[in-house]
Amino acid sequence: MRKTTISLLSLISFCLLTTTVYGVDAKTNANAFWPGGGLGYSKYANLKYYTSKDVTDLGYITYVNDAIKEFDSISNADIGFVKSTGSDSWMQIVVDEDNGSEYARDAFGYMSPWKIDPKTTAYVDASNYETWDKTKVWINDWVMNQYKFTPEQKNKTVIHEIGHVFAMDHQYDGVKSVMVSGQISYPDLQTVDIQNIQWKY
């Protein structure tokens, strides 16, 4: 009887420990997105995107193409992509080779939203919590190389930053999601990411 009680207590303690360490609830539905943030809803059905020359030159075009394929293949979501020549794009993707970007300095990547200033009609920085007119995805090759990123980790970073273009917020550490920050090897959208995109789009 005493041995059974000790084993049962050990099992309960283990379950409590694993719940505390690993039982992190993911952000889902509205909680997974920046409230008020994003491009005009209709733009996501035909998201015009442009990749700069450095994306190809520095070997990131495969990651970009993979990320676009990942989002584009989500069923029951009204999203799609159209390759653009540049100025008319709603998503620009560039690679920072020397950690020189004012936006992505010392970061693995960064998504900067822009809006049109009604007074000057020029693009200015926008908040994550308002409608944007354009986005720019910065991929910091220099920093990722300093941290010895694997191809899978670079791929995850590209998918993560494009996730921000869809106004996806960061997920909590411990959640199995590409929207968790950091040097993580999720080369594909995870189940919670797909479900959240399906919920919103």
Side-chain angles (χ1 to χ4, degrees):
M1 177 71 174
R2 186 165 181 262
K3 188 180 279 187
T4 304
T5 304
I6 292 171
S7 297
L8 183 59
L9 287 173
S10 298
L11 179 61
I12 291 169
S13 297
F14 175 76
C15 290
L16 289 173
L17 178 63
T18 54
T19 300
T20 302
V21 176
Y22 300 107
V24 180
D25 290 333
K27 295 179 184 178
T28 58
N29 300 342
N31 292 329
F33 297 88
W34 289 314
L39 295 161
Y41 185 82
S42 63
K43 290 185 176 179
Y44 289 108
N46 293 284
L47 183 57
K48 296 180 182 178
Y49 73 98
Y50 166 77
T51 56
S52 63
K53 186 174 180 291
D54 51 12
V55 172
T56 299
D57 291 349
L58 294 172
Y60 282 83
I61 193 64
T62 300
Y63 307 138
V64 169
N65 289 340
D66 180 70
I68 286 170
K69 183 180 177 183
E70 286 276 321
F71 282 97
D72 201 25
S73 64
I74 297 174
S75 61
N76 301 318
D78 188 18
I79 59 175
F81 296 85
V82 178
K83 190 81 184 271
S84 168
T85 57
S87 60
D88 66 336
S89 64
W90 298 321
M91 177 177 71
Q92 294 182 353
I93 303 173
V94 299
V95 178
D96 184 356
E97 188 177 7
D98 58 7
N99 198 31
S101 160
E102 63 177 295
Y103 290 96
R105 187 173 294 120
D106 300 326
F108 303 139
Y110 186 78
M111 189 284 298
S112 57
W114 296 345
K115 63 182 179 181
I116 296 174
D117 185 329
K119 293 180 181 176
T120 65
T121 68
Y123 284 105
V124 295
D125 290 336
S127 157
N128 291 345
Y129 305 99
E130 60 185 324
T131 302
W132 318 319
D133 294 297
K134 197 174 194 176
T135 62
K136 194 165 192 175
V137 170
W138 304 83
I139 304 301
N140 199 328
D141 179 62
W142 188 88
V143 169
M144 286 194 284
N145 287 337
Q146 298 303 304
Y147 281 83
K148 301 185 183 336
F149 267 46
T150 64
E152 290 78 15
Q153 290 167 338
K154 289 183 177 182
N155 201 42
K156 177 264 179 186
T157 300
V158 173
I159 296 174
H160 176 101
E161 296 308 331
I162 293 177
H164 285 320
V165 172
F166 284 86
M168 298 178 81
D169 197 356
H170 285 137
Q171 286 283 357
Y172 300 118
D173 289 347
V175 173
K176 191 174 182 183
S177 164
V178 296
M179 296 314 297
V180 173
S181 294
Q183 191 171 356
I184 300 170
S185 296
Y186 290 148
D188 303 302
L189 289 167
Q190 300 299 297
T191 300
V192 69
D193 306 316
I194 293 169
Q195 290 174 344
N196 284 332
I197 288 288
Q198 289 171 327
W199 176 85
K200 183 162 185 177
Y201 299 102

